C-alpha cells in the first residue's frame, strides 16, 4: 500500500452549522476554516409538524421495545421520541449492579445519539416507561403488574433484543434469541390493541443459501425441540460438545438461532399481525440523527477501526465481492416503515430484506475510499500507522498473520517488559485473530438478496416520508457515507477528541518515517543475506568484472 503524502485539510467536529478556525497549519497547509461533518437533519419541531400516514401511525401509540440498550435500540428510542409516541415501554434488566432506572439515566446522558436530551431531559423521561425484565429468562422476567400494563396498552411491539455474539454458546443463544422470541410472542398474544409485532432478524439467517428471497424458509431443525434440549441442565455439557455438529452448515450460533427464531414467528402468522425485517451487515449511521455514529466494534466497524489503528494488518477477504453493509439509520427507518406497512397488509408474508443490493459497493471500493483518510485523521488511540493488507487465500492470510501480527506483537511486548510494564499486545492479537476467524465466512462469500417486497414499502411512502424516514438504499452516496463513517468511528467509538488531531498528526508523521526506515533496514538486511548465500554457492558475484576487465580489451582500444 502506498501512503498518502499530499497535503490535506483535517475535518474538525463541532456543533452543527458552526465552524472553527484551525489554529495551526497542517501538512504545510495554511490555517483554514474547517466545517463539521454533521449534516443538518430535521429539527424536532420540523419533524412533528409534518403529517403523513407513516408518521401518524406512531403518534400517540404505546410501543413495547426490547433491546433498547443495544445499538439499534438506542436509535429506535430516539426516532420514536421524534414520532411523538405516547410512551415507549422499555424492557431493561439489571446489569453490573445497576438498576434499570440507573442504566437508563446513564444511557441517555452518555450517548450522542440522543440529540435533544441535554437541553430537554423530560422529553425522553416523560415518554419512557421502564419494564424490568430479561429476554433470556422464562416469561422475560416481567412482574405481573408490568405484564398487565403491557397487555392493556401495547399497540406496537418491536423485538430488537438478541445475543449478537458469533461465538456465544449454543445454549445461551437459543435461550436468548429463540426462547426469548417465543416469550415475546406469548406476551403479544394477550395484547388486544396490538397492531403489529415486528421482529428484527438478520439477512444471514439463511446464509447457507446463495440467493435469499423475502419469504419464510424451512428451519434446519424444530425450534421448540432445541428450546427443550437447551433447558435440560443434565445434558448441558454434551449439548455444547455437539453444538458445532448441530449448527452445520450454518457458520455460527447467531445465524443458526436467527433462522429458528424466524420459524417461531412464522408459526404465529395466523394469530398475530407480524413482520420480519432482515438487515445485512449494520454499520454506522448515515445521517439520522447524526452521521457516523455507532457504539460497537462488531463486523465492518471493527475491521475499519482495526486497520485505522494499525492493529489489523492482514485480513482474509475477497475484495471483489459485494460488501453487504447497510447504514444503521437505514435499518431503523426501514423497520418503522415496514411495521407501518405490514399493519395494513396483514395477509401478506411480511418478510423484508434490508440490504443494499439495489446500490452495491464492493469491499475494494470501501477500502479505496477509507484509505484516503488514513493520513488525514489518524486515530489518537492507535498502535501504529495503517498498513492494511488483504488476501482471499486462507493459507496466505494465516502465514502473514504470523509475520504482520505475532512477530510485531512479540517486539512490542518485549519493549513493554524492558520498560517494566505489563505485556499486552500479544493478548490483543489473540482477540484480533478470533474476530477475524468469525468474520471469514461473511467476507469470503457473496449473496444475492431479493428486495422486491421492501421496494413495495418504499413505493408506498410519500415524498415527505422518504425525507423524514430515509431508507432507500439507492439514495446512499457511498463515498459520502464512508467519509462520515471513518470520522464517526474516531469520535464516537474510539473516543478521540478532535482537539488531539494535531498531536495525532505529528505522531503519525514520525511513525511513518520510522516505519519506512525500518522497512529499508529490514529489506536491506534481507537482500544482504540473500546475496551472501548466493555468493557462497558461486551463483552470484562481481569477480568476473575484475577478471575480464581491462585485460581483455583489444590492443587498439587500449591505445585509444
Amino acid at each position: 500500500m502506498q501512503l498518502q503524502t499530499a497535503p490535506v485539510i483535517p475535518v474538525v467536529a463541532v456543533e452543527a452549522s458552526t465552524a472553527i478556525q484551525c489554529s495551526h497549519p497542517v501538512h504545510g497547509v495554511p490555517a483554514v476554516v474547517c466545517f463539521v461533518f454533521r449534516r443538518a437533519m430535521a429539527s424536532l419541531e420540523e419533524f412533528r409538524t409534518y403529517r403523513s400516514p407513516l408518521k401518524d401511525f406512531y403518534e400517540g401509540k404505546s410501543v413495547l421495545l426490547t433491546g433498547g440498550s443495544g445499538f439499534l435500540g438506542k436509535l429506535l428510542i430516539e426516532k420514536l421520541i421524534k414520532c411523538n409516541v405516547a410512551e415507549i415501554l422499555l424492557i431493561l434488566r439489571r446489569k453490573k449492579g445497576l438498576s434499570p432506572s440507573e442504566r437508563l439515566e446513564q444511557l441517555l446522558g452518555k450517548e450522542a445519539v440522543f440529540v435533544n436530551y441535554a437541553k430537554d431531559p423530560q422529553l425522553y423521561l416523560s415518554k419512557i416507561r421502564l419494564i424490568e425484565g430479561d429476554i433470556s429468562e422464562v416469561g422475560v422476567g416481567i412482574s405481573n403488574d408490568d405484564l398487565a400494563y403491557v397487555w392493556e396498552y401495547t399497540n406496537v411491539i418491536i423485538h430488537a433484543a438478541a445475543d449478537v455474539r458469533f461465538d456465544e454458546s449454543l445454549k445461551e443463544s437459543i435461550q436468548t434469541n429463540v426462547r426469548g422470541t417465543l416469550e415475546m410472542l406469548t406476551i403479544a398474544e394477550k395484547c388486544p390493541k396490538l397492531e403489529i409485532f415486528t421482529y428484527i432478524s438478520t439477512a444471514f439467517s439463511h446464509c447457507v443459501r446463495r440467493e435469499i428471497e423475502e419469504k419464510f424458509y424451512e428451519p434446519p431443525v424444530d425450534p421448540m425441540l432445541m428450546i427443550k434440549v437447551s433447558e435440560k441442565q443434565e445434558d448441558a455439557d454434551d449439548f455444547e460438545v455437539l453444538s458445532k455438529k448441530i449448527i452445520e452448515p450454518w457458520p455460527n450460533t447467531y445465524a443458526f438461532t436467527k433462522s429458528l427464531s424466524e420459524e417461531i414467528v412464522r408459526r404465529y402468522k395466523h394469530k398475530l399481525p407480524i413482520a420480519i425485517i432482515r438487515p445485512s451487515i449494520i454499520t454506522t449511521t448515515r445521517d439520522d440523527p447524526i452521521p457516523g455514529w455507532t457504539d460497537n466494534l462488531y463486523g465492518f466497524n471493527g475491521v475499519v477501526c482495526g486497520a485505522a489503528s494499525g492493529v489489523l494488518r492482514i485480513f482474509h477477504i475477497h475484495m471483489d465481492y459485494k460488501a453487504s453493509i447497510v447504514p444503521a439509520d437505514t435499518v431503523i427507518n426501514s423497520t418503522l416503515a415496514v411495521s407501518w406497512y405490514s399493519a395494513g397488509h396483514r395477509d401478506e408474508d411480511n418478510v423484508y430484506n434490508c440490504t443494499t443490493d439495489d446500490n452495491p459497493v464492493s469491499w475494494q471500493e470501501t477500502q479505496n475510499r477509507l484509505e484516503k483518510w488514513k493520513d488525514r485523521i489518524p486515530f489518537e488511540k492507535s498502535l501504529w500507522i495503517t498498513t492494511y493488507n488483504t488476501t482471499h487465500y486462507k493459507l496466505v492470510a494465516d502465514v502473514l498473520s504470523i509475520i504482520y501480527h505475532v512477530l510485531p506483537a512479540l517486539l512490542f511486548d518485549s519493549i513493554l517488559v524492558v520498560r517494566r510494564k505489563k505485556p499486552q499486545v500479544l493478548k490483543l492479537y489473540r482477540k484480533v485473530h478470533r474476530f477475524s476467524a468469525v468474520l471469514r465466512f461473511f467476507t469470503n462469500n457473496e449473496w444475492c438478496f431479493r428486495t422486491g417486497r421492501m421496494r413495495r414499502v418504499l413505493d408506498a411512502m410519500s415524498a415527505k416520508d422518504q425525507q423524514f424516514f430515509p431508507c432507500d438504499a439507492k439514495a446512499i452516496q457511498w463515498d459520502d457515507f464512508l467519509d462520515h463513517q471513518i470520522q464517526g468511528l474516531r469520535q464516537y467509538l474510539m473516543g478521540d477528541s478532535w482537539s488531539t488531531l494535531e498531536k495525532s498528526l505529528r505522531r503519525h508523521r514520525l511513525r511513518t518515517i520510522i516505519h519506512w526506515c525500518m522497512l529499508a533496514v529490514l529489506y536491506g538486511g534481507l537482500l544482504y543475506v540473500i546475496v551472501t548465500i548466493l555468493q557462497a554457492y558461486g551463483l552470484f558475484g562481481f569477480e568476473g568484472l575484475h577478471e575480464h576487465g581491462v585485460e581483455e580489451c583489444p590492443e587498439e582500444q587500449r591505445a585509444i
Side-chain angles (χ1 to χ4, degrees):
M1 295 182 181
Q2 297 297 316
L3 290 172
Q4 305 280 334
T5 57
V8 291
I9 300 173
V11 177
V12 180
V14 290
E15 287 301 315
S17 72
T18 63
I20 63 172
Q21 186 77 16
C22 294
S23 56
H24 302 289
V26 180
H27 285 214
V29 177
V32 292
V33 174
C34 303
F35 289 95
V36 296
F37 62 80
R38 181 177 297 179
R39 299 186 217 176
M41 288 299 297
S43 68
L44 180 65
E45 292 74 20
E46 290 173 321
F47 193 94
R48 288 190 172 178
T49 299
Y50 100 96
R51 314 292 301 184
S52 79
L54 170 51
K55 189 237 178 179
D56 292 347
F57 174 75
Y58 290 99
E59 185 155 359
K61 297 285 173 65
S62 291
V63 181
L64 178 61
L65 176 65
T66 68
S69 62
F71 178 39
L72 293 183
K74 294 169 187 174
L75 290 167
L76 280 166
I77 289 172
E78 173 64 19
K79 195 73 176 189
L80 289 169
I81 293 291
K82 278 187 176 179
C83 289
N84 199 27
V85 295
E87 59 183 348
I88 299 172
L89 307 178
L90 181 61
I91 298 179
L92 208 58
R93 63 189 169 109
R94 292 178 178 271
K95 187 176 181 181
K96 296 180 180 178
L98 296 177
S99 67
S101 58
E102 290 171 330
R103 288 186 65 199
L104 177 63
E105 184 179 352
Q106 187 181 78
L107 186 77
L108 294 172
K110 173 187 173 184
E111 299 292 359
V113 72
F114 301 116
V115 294
N116 295 295
Y117 182 76
K119 63 181 180 182
D120 189 5
Q122 278 304 117
L123 174 67
Y124 296 80
L125 297 175
S126 65
K127 295 285 187 181
I128 299 174
R129 181 186 178 100
L130 284 174
I131 307 290
E132 184 171 348
D134 188 339
I135 201 69
S136 65
E137 294 183 9
V138 174
V140 197
I142 300 177
S143 70
N144 290 334
D145 288 344
D146 282 338
L147 268 178
Y149 190 90
V150 166
W151 291 336
E152 183 176 355
Y153 292 104
T154 299
N155 304 116
V156 176
I157 297 178
I158 301 178
H159 181 31
D163 191 328
V164 300
R165 291 171 291 185
F166 288 177
D167 56 354
E168 181 59 281
S169 71
L170 182 56
K171 177 181 177 179
E172 294 295 329
S173 293
I174 289 173
Q175 292 183 352
T176 300
N177 297 345
V178 186
R179 189 179 68 187
T181 301
L182 176 62
E183 297 289 356
M184 287 304 301
L185 286 161
T186 303
I187 291 172
E189 271 192 292
K190 297 181 179 180
C191 298
K193 298 178 182 178
L194 184 70
E195 296 182 45
I196 190 67
F197 178 102
T198 300
Y199 176 58
I200 301 180
S201 183
T202 171
F204 301 102
S205 57
H206 295 280
C207 57
V208 293
R209 301 171 179 270
R210 284 294 170 263
E211 181 176 327
I212 299 175
E213 299 181 58
E214 294 171 300
K215 68 177 187 180
F216 290 104
Y217 288 99
E218 284 295 319
V221 67
D222 183 1
M224 299 303 294
L225 174 63
M226 295 303 295
I227 291 173
K228 290 177 182 177
V229 173
S230 71
E231 291 175 339
K232 291 184 177 180
Q233 296 297 328
E234 62 272 16
D235 298 332
D237 292 338
D238 292 338
F239 186 62
E240 289 308 318
V241 169
L242 294 171
S243 63
K244 286 187 178 180
K245 197 69 178 174
I246 293 171
I247 70 172
E248 286 182 353
W250 270 255
N252 54 62
T253 56
Y254 173 68
F256 176 77
T257 53
K258 281 294 188 177
S259 69
L260 300 184
S261 299
E262 286 190 7
E263 172 61 13
I264 291 283
V265 176
R266 186 196 67 79
R267 294 180 183 184
Y268 275 78
K269 183 178 182 300
H270 299 294
K271 301 177 183 179
L272 298 169
I274 59 99
I276 293 177
I277 185 164
R278 296 172 176 157
S280 51
I281 301 171
I282 305 173
T283 61
T284 58
T285 54
R286 180 179 162 214
D287 53 19
D288 187 8
I290 53 177
W293 182 81
T294 186
D295 69 349
N296 68 77
L297 277 167
Y298 296 136
F300 185 55
N301 292 340
V303 174
V304 175
C305 281
S309 60
V311 174
L312 186 62
R313 303 181 64 201
I314 181 67
F315 192 58
H316 184 204
I317 186 172
H318 205 300
M319 297 299 285
D320 294 330
Y321 282 176
K322 179 173 54 183
S324 296
I325 56 176
V326 59
D329 48 336
T330 298
V331 176
I332 295 306
N333 289 319
S334 295
T335 300
L336 296 177
V338 158
S339 300
W340 157 72
Y341 181 87
S342 300
H345 298 79
R346 299 187 180 192
D347 295 333
E348 297 182 15
D349 282 341
N350 291 310
V351 180
Y352 306 87
N353 289 336
C354 181
T355 68
T356 51
D357 277 45
D358 291 341
N359 181 18
V361 62
S362 70
W363 292 119
Q364 186 64 64
E365 289 170 324
T366 63
Q367 179 181 335
N368 292 344
R369 187 65 185 184
L370 291 169
E371 276 197 334
K372 295 180 183 296
W373 289 93
K374 66 182 180 181
D375 294 326
R376 303 184 185 196
I377 53 168
F379 287 9
E380 173 66 17
K381 300 180 182 69
S382 61
L383 185 65
W384 200 244
I385 65 170
T386 300
T387 53
Y388 178 67
N389 303 275
T390 64
T391 177
H392 62 272
Y393 297 107
K394 182 179 182 299
L395 180 60
V396 174
D398 290 341
V399 172
L400 290 180
S401 67
I402 298 173
I403 299 171
Y404 289 157
H405 290 170
V406 178
L407 295 181
L410 292 172
L411 175 62
F412 276 112
D413 276 347
S414 298
I415 294 172
L416 289 173
V417 170
V418 170
R419 297 174 64 181
R420 296 184 179 181
K421 294 184 177 180
K422 184 180 178 180
Q424 53 187 339
V425 183
L426 190 59
K427 181 181 178 181
L428 169 65
Y429 272 112
R430 290 195 185 101
K431 294 181 180 179
V432 170
H433 291 164
R434 285 198 298 270
F435 171 78
S436 300
V438 298
L439 290 183
R440 268 179 174 156
F441 180 84
F442 302 97
T443 55
N444 290 279
N445 287 290
E446 194 172 35
W447 292 266
C448 175
F449 298 103
R450 298 299 180 189
T451 56
R453 198 181 296 275
M454 187 67 218
R455 182 56 52 186
R456 243 181 277 167
V457 176
L458 294 167
D459 291 341
M461 294 170 64
S462 68
K464 279 288 187 181
D465 283 336
Q466 292 279 3
Q467 177 186 345
F468 289 96
F469 294 84
C471 53
D472 190 347
K474 291 181 179 180
I476 300 172
Q477 299 293 324
W478 284 112
D479 285 353
D480 185 46
F481 168 73
L482 293 167
D483 290 348
H484 295 318
Q485 183 197 31
I486 189 66
Q487 296 171 69
L489 289 174
R490 186 188 193 275
Q491 179 179 0
Y492 299 118
L493 193 56
M494 301 301 291
D496 291 347
S497 169
W498 292 106
S499 63
T500 66
L501 184 57
E502 290 290 335
K503 174 186 172 184
S504 300
L505 284 165
R506 287 194 298 269
R507 186 183 62 186
H508 176 76
R509 290 194 288 271
L510 177 61
R511 283 178 171 178
T512 300
I513 294 170
I514 295 173
H515 178 79
W516 286 108
C517 288
M518 289 174 63
L519 288 182
V521 171
L522 176 64
Y523 289 126
L526 185 60
L527 179 62
Y528 175 79
V529 171
I530 292 173
V531 170
T532 302
I533 293 173
L534 292 176
Q535 283 180 328
Y537 284 93
L539 300 175
F540 183 84
F542 299 96
E543 291 81 359
L545 295 177
H546 299 296
E547 293 174 2
H548 306 291
V550 177
E551 291 80 357
E552 293 186 358
C553 291
E555 192 69 32
E556 58 272 20
Q557 289 187 14
R558 258 189 249 174
I560 293 173

